[in-house]
């Protein structure tokens, strides 16, 4: 079954969508979109380094994504506003990554594959690494779900409950870095944040509890991955961007439906 | 044994000293109010107690197994986070529907069970926060300006509830407040904080203390105008805590 490239692509897409769902909810709730962007862009630098050192792209991307998260945490609250700082770090790491890649003249590299993903080329080996990452992220999220919710609402309340909000935040950052690393192959560094945010934002329309939002986001994300891949096959379009387009279209449609539903109810 | 025992507490925020030489002991069933101008370190003191801020010097000792109920000033809530009152109530306490309903009923808000937190009024919201804080029967309640955003009858009602909680459960209460008039009458002890403990004692004692008068003279005009005092030293709002002042508080 895993011999078919389409099956592997669907499984990889659904895997990333599942990990991105609970994580994406926290990115939305804690307003970490730009932080996610910086982590993801840094990953291209990780890709360049891995290719140079001939180590696993996953490992390299994960390491640099974590390093970026650590630098952001270190520098935050100093001289610049958070969004300025993230803007500097996100785009410069992307630029440095691209320049680094250009030095690797000996190896033929399809840069587009790392920027926008190359989901149809996912190997069985890639699929295994993606799912190990996905399961790890899901376990971490399940384990720290309530503590993270409490510290999202109020940090002092978390401390008073005997929790460790700083450690939980590190776990969230680690999960984000893992998700970025495994999603490179699927949607590429430029579109990872879209997979985090769009399904979660769409799920908000229907959800009454945080858990419901995460589950609905997982469903929307998985359906987007599946339908996006089918659409890419039919229309012969790039797969990663088509998945994100599908998610974006569902965001628009469900929001319009929600708006109309409200209008009808208020008449 | 004291519930909380603080000795010679110093807290820095960056290069700035926000608290120094603070001693404080809290016994079971006591209602203590901390008053002080903005930036006087009230919130830092609470944060030090719950372990949310590193101590530069001194010691904060909590009774072993001390259960803390914390009522925050506000939640970082925006409409992107869906949360029903019920789900919020059992976020950290694993409780049944029935217990949750009872707690809300006791707090005077039984019918908001299924509402979204973001749609509650200020008064309902504070009731939910209090109900959540007292649900696991804490030994002490910490309140950080919990009545901010309530009107005067609203906050009077809130304090009445807190007195009831204390009466029913003998739970100690340590609160930061700006509503000086209400607070004064409800507290066993008032601590006037401005980087250090300026004065403390029964509400009447503190109200007549020159340091308190110096700090709150203008704000308490009317209610406490009966007290006539002379300032023995200056206590402007942003005085920096040099060594001289440390000695003074010790």
């Amino acid at each position: 079954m895993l011999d078919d490239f389409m099956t592997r692509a669907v499984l990889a897409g659904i895997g990333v969508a599942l990990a991105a769902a609970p994580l994406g909810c926290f990115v939305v709730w804690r307003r970490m979109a730009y932080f996610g962007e910086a982590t993801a862009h840094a990953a291209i630098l990780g890709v360049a380094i891995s290719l140079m050192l001939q180590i696993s792209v996953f490992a390299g991307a994960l390491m640099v994504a974590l390093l970026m998260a650590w630098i952001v945490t270190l520098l935050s609250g100093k001289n610049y506003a958070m969004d300025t700082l993230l803007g500097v770090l996100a785009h410069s790491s992307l630029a440095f990554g691209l320049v680094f890649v250009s030095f690797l003249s000996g190896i033929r590299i399809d840069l587009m594959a790392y920027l926008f993903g190359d989901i149809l080329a996912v190997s069985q080996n890639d699929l295994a690494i993606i799912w190990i990452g996905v399961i790890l992220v899901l376990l971490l999220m399940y384990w720290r779900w309530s503590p993270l919710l409490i510290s999202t609402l109020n940090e002092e309340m978390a401390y008073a409950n005997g929790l460790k909000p700083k450690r939980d935040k590190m776990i969230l950052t680690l999960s984000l870095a893992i998700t970025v690393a495994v999603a490179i192959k699927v949607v590429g560094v430029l579109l990872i944040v879209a997979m985090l945010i769009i399904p979660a934002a769409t799920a908000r329309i229907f959800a009454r509890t945080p858990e419901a939002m995460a589950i609905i986001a997982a469903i929307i994300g998985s359906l987007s991955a599946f339908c996006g891949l089918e659409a890419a096959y039919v229309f012969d379009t790039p797969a990663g961007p088509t998945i994100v387009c599908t998610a974006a279209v569902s965001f628009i449609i469900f929001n319009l439906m929600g708006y109309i539903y409200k209008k009808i109810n208020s008449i | 044994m004291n519930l909380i025992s603080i000795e010679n507490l110093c807290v820095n925020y960056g290069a700035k000293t926000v608290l120094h030489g603070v001693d404080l002991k809290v016994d079971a069933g006591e209602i203590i109010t901390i008053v002080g101008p903005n930036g006087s370190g009230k919130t830092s003191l609470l944060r030090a107690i719950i372990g949310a801020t590193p101590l530069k010097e001194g010691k904060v000792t909590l009774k072993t197994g001390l259960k803390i109920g914390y009522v925050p000033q506000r939640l970082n809530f925006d409409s992107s986070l869906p949360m029903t009152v019920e789900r919020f109530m059992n976020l950290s306490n694993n409780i049944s529907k029935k217990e949750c309903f009872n707690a809300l009923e006791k707090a005077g808000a039984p019918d908001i069970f299924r509402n979204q937190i973001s749609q509650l009024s200020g008064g309902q919201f504070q009731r939910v926060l209090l109900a959540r804080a007292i649900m696991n029967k804490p030994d002490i309640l910490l309140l950080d300006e919990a009545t901010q955003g309530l009107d005067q009858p609203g906050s009077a009602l809130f304090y009445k509830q807190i007195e009831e909680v204390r009466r029913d459960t003998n739970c100690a209460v340590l609160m930061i407040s700006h509503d000086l008039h209400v607070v004064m009458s409800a507290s066993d002890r008032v601590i006037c904080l401005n980087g250090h403990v300026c004065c403390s004692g029964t509400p009447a004692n503190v109200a007549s203390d020159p340091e308190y008068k110096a700090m709150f003279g203008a704000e308490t005009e009317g209610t406490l105008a009966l007290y006539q005092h002379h300032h023995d030293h200056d206590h402007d709002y942003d005085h920096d805590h040099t060594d001289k002042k440390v000695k003074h508080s010790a």
Side-chain angles (χ1 to χ4, degrees):
Chain A
M1 181 186 95
L2 296 178
D3 293 340
D4 178 29
F5 75 95
M6 200 62 183
T7 314
R8 289 198 301 269
V10 168
L11 287 176
I14 289 177
V16 168
L18 291 182
L23 204 57
C25 289
F26 277 113
V27 170
V28 169
W29 297 332
R30 295 174 84 120
R31 297 164 189 246
M32 290 165 65
Y34 223 161
F35 182 74
E37 201 80 66
T39 315
H41 286 188
I44 198 76
L45 191 60
V47 169
I49 293 171
S50 336
L51 293 173
M52 206 152 63
L53 301 177
Q54 298 191 311
I55 58 169
S56 148
V57 169
F58 288 107
L62 180 64
M63 233 98 85
V64 178
L66 277 177
L67 187 71
M68 173 60 95
W70 180 67
I71 291 172
V72 170
T73 317
L74 213 66
L75 292 179
S76 66
K78 297 279 160 63
N79 290 326
Y80 297 102
M82 196 62 176
D83 58 341
T84 308
L85 187 66
L86 287 169
V88 171
L89 289 172
H91 298 105
S92 35
S93 59
L94 181 64
F96 272 108
L98 296 176
V99 169
F100 259 56
V101 170
S102 74
F103 284 138
L104 305 170
S105 50
I107 322 160
R108 200 191 69 85
I109 297 158
D110 182 10
L111 199 55
M112 291 293 274
Y114 294 109
L115 292 177
F116 299 106
D118 194 7
I119 191 170
L120 298 178
V122 167
S123 67
Q124 292 198 13
N125 198 17
D126 292 336
L127 196 59
I129 294 175
I130 289 173
W131 272 89
I132 289 171
V134 167
I135 288 169
L136 194 63
V137 168
L138 288 177
L139 285 176
L140 285 172
M141 286 290 103
Y142 182 76
W143 176 44
R144 301 320 293 167
W145 182 257
S146 286
L148 272 168
L149 269 176
I150 295 172
S151 62
T152 300
L153 290 173
N154 187 284
E155 208 185 44
E156 281 86 11
M157 211 161 77
Y159 276 112
N161 270 329
L163 300 169
K164 299 187 175 70
K166 288 222 168 69
R167 188 199 59 182
D168 289 336
K169 195 179 167 192
M170 272 159 58
I171 290 174
L172 191 64
T173 307
L174 174 69
S175 307
L176 188 66
I178 296 174
T179 307
V180 165
V182 301
I184 289 179
K185 196 85 187 179
V186 176
V187 283
V189 294
L190 293 183
L191 293 175
I192 289 168
V193 175
M195 280 305 277
L196 287 168
I197 290 180
I198 298 176
T202 312
R204 175 63 189 98
I205 307 166
F206 307 101
R208 289 182 49 79
T209 62
E211 293 74 25
M213 182 158 151
I215 291 167
I216 296 170
I219 295 169
I220 291 173
S222 301
L223 283 176
S224 302
F226 181 75
C227 299
L229 275 169
E230 294 297 324
Y233 185 76
V234 172
F235 301 116
D236 193 22
T237 49
T242 312
I243 292 175
V244 174
C245 288
T246 313
V249 167
S250 79
F251 174 82
I252 294 166
I253 291 175
F254 285 129
N255 262 302
L256 279 176
M257 276 166 59
Y259 178 77
I260 292 167
Y261 179 78
K262 245 188 218 158
K263 278 275 162 200
I264 291 171
N265 267 9
S266 64
I267 292 169
Chain B
M1 189 190 166
N2 307 109
L3 296 181
I4 297 174
S5 160
I6 298 172
E7 287 161 52
N8 189 33
L9 174 70
C10 295
V11 174
N12 276 20
Y13 192 76
K16 200 175 161 238
T17 305
V18 284
L19 286 172
H20 60 87
V22 173
D23 292 310
L24 174 65
K25 290 190 169 34
V26 182
D27 289 318
E30 251 189 317
I31 295 186
I32 302 178
T33 303
I34 303 170
V35 296
N38 288 336
S40 60
K42 301 185 300 281
T43 301
S44 300
L45 182 58
L46 279 202
R47 283 177 60 89
I49 291 172
I50 57 178
T53 197
L55 316 181
K56 191 174 170 257
E57 265 172 55
K59 221 165 70 179
V60 173
T61 320
L62 306 182
K63 198 181 132 197
T64 356
L66 184 78
K67 272 198 276 179
I68 298 174
Y70 184 87
V71 182
Q73 214 175 105
R74 65 178 83 84
L75 298 179
N76 308 322
F77 228 99
D78 69 71
S79 50
S80 72
L81 175 50
M83 182 79 82
T84 59
V85 171
E86 182 190 358
R87 180 68 188 104
F88 176 71
M89 294 286 284
N90 63 29
L91 255 185
S92 60
N93 335 276
N94 225 333
I95 52 147
S96 68
K97 243 187 174 105
K98 182 99 185 109
E99 282 174 292
C100 175
F101 185 79
N102 287 344
L104 283 172
E105 196 172 37
K106 209 169 150 199
D111 44 351
I112 56 171
F113 205 45
R114 286 179 213 294
N115 289 29
Q116 287 286 316
I117 293 257
S118 51
Q119 285 161 357
L120 299 181
S121 72
Q124 286 173 324
F125 182 60
Q126 286 306 331
R127 266 176 231 164
V128 169
L129 285 179
L130 181 63
R132 179 191 177 276
I134 60 179
M135 208 158 39
N136 59 350
K137 306 198 171 47
D139 306 302
I140 183 165
L141 267 181
L142 301 180
L143 289 84
D144 186 2
E145 288 182 40
T147 57
Q148 220 182 34
L150 296 187
D151 54 9
Q152 211 140 40
S155 34
L157 200 71
F158 187 77
Y159 287 125
K160 206 170 138 253
Q161 263 185 340
I162 287 174
E163 279 191 273
E164 281 168 20
V165 169
R166 195 262 299 256
R167 195 192 59 213
D168 297 345
T169 64
N170 198 37
C171 156
V173 180
L174 180 62
M175 59 181 161
I176 291 176
S177 189
H178 269 147
D179 311 330
L180 292 172
H181 326 314
V182 198
V183 159
M184 284 297 193
S185 67
S187 315
D188 300 319
R189 197 141 59 97
V190 175
I191 290 167
C192 184
L193 196 71
N194 197 358
H196 60 278
V197 177
C198 293
C199 54
S200 70
T202 61
N205 278 342
V206 168
S208 62
D209 192 286
E211 293 209 39
Y212 175 82
K213 286 291 290 175
M215 209 179 299
F216 286 108
E219 285 178 44
T220 54
E221 208 177 337
T223 338
L224 297 165
L226 290 169
Y227 300 100
Q228 297 277 322
H229 282 283
H230 300 288
H231 305 171
D232 64 347
H233 67 281
D234 266 335
H235 240 302
D236 48 333
Y237 274 28
D238 51 359
H239 73 231
D240 62 341
H241 291 284
T242 54
D243 290 332
K244 192 179 111 249
K245 299 276 185 180
V246 177
K247 277 188 202 115
H248 147 81
S249 79

